[in-house]
Amino acid sequence: MPRDDFATTLSQVRYLAKIVAVGAAAISLSPAAADARHYHECGTIRFSGRTTHIVVLRGTTCQTAKRVARRYDRGRAPRPWKCFLAHAPFRKINGRDVGFSCGYGTGGSNVASRSHAFVGTF
């Protein structure tokens, strides 16, 4: 293969790699892709007088999530869980607004991003 053909092919491969990288970044950052993640629906409980759907994001069971949510509704989540009410603009999961988030473990200040997390949606 002549030298200039190799350079042309290499530049085309680099260009294609850039296009694929930009496309992958755009897909991963889009809200539709974030909402399409797999969540585990755990049924409903009464929270603050409303029917609330419990949705496990990661790292816990439905039974534990419901127990923690009920305790949080009575005033305080059991240790090591931290729970907080959501504020507008509300994040949506499975087409419903998130009313509160609970979590513990690693993952930063947003409890919904922690290694053990669930939310209550309405």
Side-chain angles (χ1 to χ4, degrees):
M1 179 182 285
R3 177 89 173 132
D4 56 342
D5 286 343
F6 179 74
T8 302
T9 303
L10 184 60
S11 70
Q12 289 173 345
V13 169
R14 286 181 180 157
Y15 177 75
L16 182 61
K18 288 177 186 176
I19 295 294
V20 169
V22 168
I27 289 171
S28 70
L29 295 176
S30 72
D35 199 33
R37 294 181 191 141
H38 175 71
Y39 302 117
H40 189 75
E41 293 275 348
C42 294
T44 61
I45 64 167
R46 295 295 288 177
F47 184 90
S48 192
R50 295 184 73 149
T51 299
T52 303
H53 298 261
I54 301 298
V55 181
V56 169
L57 304 177
R58 73 191 69 74
T60 192
T61 64
C62 287
Q63 180 180 6
T64 299
K66 286 182 172 184
R67 178 182 56 82
V68 171
R70 287 185 186 109
R71 289 273 304 273
Y72 177 52
D73 189 31
R74 290 191 304 248
R76 179 175 286 178
R79 288 185 182 188
W81 291 92
K82 301 285 186 207
C83 297
F84 300 98
L85 293 175
H87 299 282
F90 295 102
R91 176 179 165 203
K92 289 194 179 285
I93 292 183
N94 295 338
R96 294 184 303 267
D97 290 332
V98 172
F100 67 89
S101 301
C102 296
Y104 78 91
T106 59
S109 62
N110 180 0
V111 294
S113 67
R114 296 201 178 165
S115 55
H116 304 273
F118 69 91
V119 296
T121 63
F122 58 94

